[in-house]
Amino acid sequence: MGVALARSAQWTAAGYETGTLEITPLNESILNEITKFVESFSYKYPQEAKFVFVEPLEWKTYLEPSAFESGYIISATTVESEEADKDGQPLLFLSVPYIKVRSFGQLSQLLSIATDSKLQEAQACIEANRDPVVKILGPDYNEMKEDLTSLTLLDKDKEMYLKRKVAILLKQLDLHLLNHSLKHISLEISLNPGTFKKDIELLKRFSGKGEQTVLESIEYTSDYEFSNGCRAPPWRQIQGEICYVLVKPHDVETLCLTCSTEGVFLNGGKTKEEGEINYERKGEIYKDLVTCLKDKSPVFSENMSKQEVRFTEEQQKENQIYEKPKTEDGHSSIAGSEKSKLERINFGKSHMTKRLEPSLNWRATVDYKDHKSSAKDSQEEKQGKLEKSSSSVSPSRAQLLRKGGEKVEDTASESSSESEEDEEPPDHRQEANADLPSEYWQIQKLVKYLKPCCFLISMFCLLLPRWLTLSNFLTASSVERSYLIHIFIYKGGNQTATVIALCSMRDFNLAQETCQLAIRDVGGLEVLINLLDTDEVKCKIGSLKILKEISHNPQIRRNIVDLGGLPIMVNILDSPHKSLKCLSAETIANVAKFKRARRAVRQHGGITKLVALLDCGQNSTEPTQPSLYETRDVEVARCGALALWSCSKSHSNKEAIRKAGGIPLLARLLKTSHENMLIPVVGTLQECASEENYRAAIKAERIIENLVKNLNSENEQLQEHCAMAIYQCAEDEETRDLVRLHGGLKPLASLLNNTDNKERLAAVTGAIWKCSISKENVIKFREYKAIETLVGLLTDQPEEVLVNVVGALGECCQEYENRVLVRKCGGIQPLVNLLVGINQALLVNVTKAVGACALEPESMAIIDRLDGVRLLWSLLKNPHPDVKASAAWALCPCIENAKDAGEMVRSFVGGLELVVNLLKSDNKEVLASVCAAITNIAKDQENLAVITDHGVVPLLSKLANTNNDKLRRHLAEAISRCCMWGRNRVAFGEHKAVAPLVRYLKSNDTNVHRATAQALYQLSEDADNCITMHENGAVKLLLDMVGSPDQDLQEAAAGCISNIRRLALATEKARYN
């Protein structure tokens, strides 16, 4: 269901993660299928209907408690199901307006209760639970789904058995939805300007004043035709609209119709005043003009039926006129594309026997998947492609390829931060007419010599068991006997010749692209991969050494994956020969630079085997005889760590490394003194530290101490990766303390002075930024003169460095001494200069830093002089919510500490209206920051009057029903300030803001209590507000706060109670008088 919702359902522009379902026929069809599935679930699968979801599905329901009947415990605002789980928790719980459901049985009953609104409920549920399958089955669903076919009676655990059955049912539903969507889409029309032009011209021929004509007239609303054939304005073409026509039937008024790619519909017609078209749709969508007019005009329908044969003949003639030129023009290109596609697919079959011309175009050769294999490709298509390519490889490798093709590629499990690297642009270089160096032709000769050698060795391995006896030899066919005799005579020579050819190839500069081209163009990759399938260790080593060198090329590594090389390399990791393990792991490290390769390594069990290499010193078994190809254990572990480093860019692979026990082994290797070993180990830890589970394990394994120790290394790459690992881990306060306790802050500060290596500088500044979140660390950085150095790095540095530098200064400037230090070092001007950038992360950090500096009056004066406040205000228009929020927070101290702040704020044209309009945002952080800014703006009476005119009161009132304590606090403060103008107190009461504010007093946050009490105190100046407070139980809550140690809270609570009491006394007095 998750795949169908992500790929088939149509979401709004915000996207699948944050948008809502569009109102389209396809979505309605998908929702209908889901509701049918859920409604019938209880009686089709009664046992599975009792399965309790791992997490409840929660959404905002349209149902009222009164809709529920038997089987539920019902109150005024809540409903609980009598059916409960083993812990006694109800499987359905409704607290108006939110509902939680924890089984398919309850979902089924809920839909039967919903009756007419079941589609609305289904839509609300799906929009609120973007990945419902994970909530139903739990986060381990990704592991389970690879083994759903293994459901047997061996599952003794009834709960696990049910869970697997539910998983299978959901997978079947997912496939059904995808197929259903495909059928629906295939039936949908996709009209174009040519279609409409043709139909309108035909209808014009059949129109006129006579009784037999189908229409009186039909004409376009616009005579201008764009180059794409459309007549609609460009801003309407974006909506899929093509043209607008005015149709005058014989029996009804003139119709103004919109012709779009989706179909034809009636619009609002032309306005009388300006003659402009009202584009809004006024009815249903029809598949074409004729169908629409038949429905709107009975006379048209009648006359059209009389003219049907003639109209159809004319339409067919038009089709031939329109389509024939296109067919003739497009035929050759289509045929050519099909031919090239077949050539790419059949290249694996043909290139072993056919002489190929040299080509410098990477795209023209064996990589038939380079047009980017999609997860939407069907399993059959994938398997068909794999079988085609495997026809030229050994039988065992073909079997491996088929096994790989049977697995569904779980692209959704890959890290969202990964790119396809990972997607290099195609080379646009000349082909055969380019001058090629002599090495190109020499390598091709060697590869062509390798092919028969490779073939003979493979045949010997395949045929040898058949002739273990003389009788078998005598009964063999003449062809088989000749092969065997040839192999027995020349086997030793061919193996030797193969090794010599491989060594000769290694004499060339394989890092040079021309040499890589030569190997690939003549089919050398398949030969090299086939050699990995032999039993000859020397041949395997020679092949792997070449593959290791040439796999640095992005296109070569893709070809290796497409030819099924990775499963064979993964199998070689089990070899008893350490040299083979090393070479295989290093080659995997080079190849696994893109998502598909990393997934292939995991799916073929490579992660577990690579983790085992980290401990190979204790577990590996060497051959009994000493070998020339033995390698030290430390080298095996290094190569394993190198491969894990490449694989660890995937979220699923990180989890697989952790489950395979990789963290303790990496921690142990971190204590070694071999720098070549340390770099991939720290690199792997740095990649994995982005996961919270890893950060906890890193603390538990005491890895931070070794990372700090290696910061003092002379190796710049090792320093960089250690700093980056600290940057990832220092999100946690305990880790920041450990870095300080183990003496890591001083080497970080000293590394700031070496600015030549920008990658290392970015890592070091990042580590300092995260460590600066702790005040104790900031004190140390001040002792080590790091703040002055950071200020010096605010200019002439790449953005990667600037983001971290400014972030660190933003944290350091929370302390007064550091703000003064930044100002004295001349840091204010470069910070303000960075406010004009476009990098989102940099803008978030620089606004925070400027805001922190503005807390000091002298710094604020410099910011004002440099026009920094105006730049901050302009960032409120930035499209990114984080930038808006950060800018609004920064404006608060600027307004608070500026001289004549009221006049300064009014000087920004449209500034106050912009701030008020931001209260319409959906982002909680933006709302909280804008409320804080309004609190400061409203301190000036003139500004308060202006924002009141802009409608600040209703907008603030609309936000009152929030559960976010941060927003509550600043909203209450803003309301408190805005009450001090005109009749705003009364207006807040009229807009229902008082009752929600009373509920804020039940929060656990003292800051919320103080702000709310102050707001209620101001609101209590109005008698109606006092009544509302009293009715909602404010007095009792405020009485408890009168005894608070917070003096401001005491005074506000007491003042509010006083106002309520005075009103009560006045009312009582009036009653008796």
Side-chain angles (χ1 to χ4, degrees), residues 74 76 232 274 318 333 353 444 523 532 558 562 573 588 754 762 781 839 889 942 960 971 976 1009:
I74 305 167
E274 300 177 2
E318 290 289 335
S333 64
T353 55
Q444 288 209 340
L532 299 181
R558 274 173 171 69
D562 293 335
L573 295 174
I588 289 172
N754 301 321
F781 282 132
N839 183 302
W889 287 121
E942 289 186 48
L971 176 59
S976 176
H1009 293 165

Side-chain angles (χ1 to χ4, degrees), residues 973-1046:
E973 288 175 350
I975 290 174
S976 176
R977 281 287 175 186
C978 290
C979 282
M980 298 177 185
W981 176 259
R983 61 184 302 276
N984 283 359
R985 291 186 180 87
V986 178
F988 278 119
E990 290 171 351
H991 286 93
K992 312 296 184 188
V994 179
L997 278 174
V998 174
R999 291 197 291 272
Y1000 292 8
L1001 297 174
K1002 297 177 182 178
S1003 168
N1004 296 320
D1005 191 336
T1006 307
N1007 292 322
V1008 174
H1009 293 165
R1010 181 172 56 254
T1012 305
Q1014 289 170 342
L1016 291 174
Y1017 171 63
Q1018 292 296 332
L1019 290 166
S1020 65
E1021 298 289 338
D1022 176 65
D1024 290 334
N1025 291 343
C1026 286
I1027 294 168
T1028 306
M1029 291 177 205
H1030 190 274
E1031 288 174 350
N1032 286 274
V1035 175
K1036 184 179 179 182
L1037 295 168
L1038 288 167
L1039 281 170
D1040 293 336
M1041 293 175 188
V1042 172
S1044 169
D1046 187 318

Side-chain angles (χ1 to χ4, degrees), residues 290-582:
V290 175
T291 307
C292 176
L293 292 171
K294 279 183 177 179
D295 185 62
K296 300 292 182 185
S297 169
V299 173
F300 175 86
S301 181
E302 182 184 345
N303 290 349
M304 194 68 191
S305 61
K306 296 175 184 177
Q307 305 273 2
E308 194 79 54
V309 176
R310 187 181 160 203
F311 188 84
T312 306
E313 288 175 355
E314 292 285 339
Q315 205 169 29
Q316 288 174 352
K317 288 179 184 177
E318 290 289 335
N319 285 340
Q320 290 174 1
I321 292 169
Y322 272 89
E323 290 175 9
K324 189 174 180 180
K326 292 180 183 177
T327 306
E328 289 173 353
D329 294 341
H331 179 73
S332 60
S333 64
I334 293 169
S337 66
E338 288 297 317
K339 183 179 178 183
S340 64
K341 189 185 291 184
L342 288 171
E343 284 175 355
R344 277 199 303 276
I345 294 174
N346 293 324
F347 184 81
K349 291 183 179 180
S350 62
H351 79 279
M352 294 291 281
T353 55
K354 182 182 175 184
R355 179 181 177 85
L356 297 178
E357 294 298 324
S359 169
L360 284 176
N361 188 349
W362 287 110
R363 294 284 177 179
T365 52
V366 73
D367 192 1
Y368 59 84
K369 282 190 181 179
D370 263 1
H371 287 289
K372 193 174 180 182
S373 65
S374 170
K376 292 182 181 177
D377 291 343
S378 65
Q379 191 172 341
E380 292 82 3
E381 288 174 337
K382 287 181 184 174
Q383 190 164 344
K385 290 180 183 178
L386 288 165
E387 286 173 355
K388 284 181 183 179
S389 71
S390 64
S391 61
S392 61
V393 300
S394 65
S396 60
R397 190 155 63 84
Q399 186 178 2
L400 279 169
L401 283 169
R402 284 195 294 274
K403 287 179 181 178
E406 291 168 4
K407 291 192 177 183
V408 178
E409 294 189 342
D410 50 335
T411 54
S413 68
E414 295 295 332
S415 171
S416 60
S417 63
E418 297 181 66
S419 61
E420 185 78 16
E421 169 190 77
D422 285 42
E423 251 349 82
E424 291 85 0
D427 289 333
H428 298 288
R429 291 171 292 193
Q430 295 179 352
E431 295 199 13
N433 59 348
D435 292 330
L436 296 171
S438 60
E439 289 90 345
Y440 183 93
W441 307 106
Q442 291 170 8
I443 286 180
Q444 288 209 340
K445 287 180 183 177
L446 286 171
V447 173
K448 289 175 183 177
Y449 182 78
L450 268 177
K451 288 180 182 178
C453 296
C454 171
F455 174 72
L456 290 173
I457 293 173
S458 301
M459 288 300 297
F460 176 76
C461 297
L462 290 170
L463 299 178
L464 181 60
R466 295 194 54 190
W467 289 285
L468 293 176
T469 63
L470 181 61
S471 59
N472 284 343
F473 177 76
L474 295 173
T475 56
S477 67
S478 59
V479 176
E480 289 176 331
R481 281 201 300 270
S482 64
Y483 268 136
L484 185 66
I485 292 168
H486 192 91
I487 290 166
F488 270 115
I489 293 172
Y490 297 109
K491 171 186 174 290
N494 279 327
Q495 180 193 357
T496 305
T498 302
V499 174
I500 291 170
L502 291 170
C503 292
S504 299
M505 285 175 67
R506 289 200 65 224
D507 288 340
F508 291 94
N509 181 10
L510 296 179
Q512 188 178 345
E513 192 176 32
T514 306
C515 298
Q516 296 164 358
L517 275 166
I519 294 172
R520 207 276 312 267
D521 286 352
V522 79
L525 287 177
E526 284 202 333
V527 175
L528 293 170
I529 292 172
N530 270 326
L531 285 173
L532 299 181
D533 246 354
T534 66
D535 294 330
E536 299 297 330
V537 176
K538 293 179 181 178
C539 292
K540 285 184 179 182
I541 289 174
S543 176
L544 281 170
K545 284 185 175 180
I546 294 170
L547 286 171
K548 184 186 80 169
E549 294 296 327
I550 65 176
S551 59
H552 288 287
N553 186 294
Q555 298 297 335
I556 291 285
R557 52 181 174 244
R558 274 173 171 69
N559 292 341
I560 290 171
V561 174
D562 293 335
L563 291 169
L566 275 177
I568 301 174
M569 294 178 198
V570 168
N571 288 338
I572 290 174
L573 295 174
D574 291 327
S575 169
H577 297 271
K578 291 180 180 176
S579 52
L580 279 178
K581 289 182 181 180
C582 286

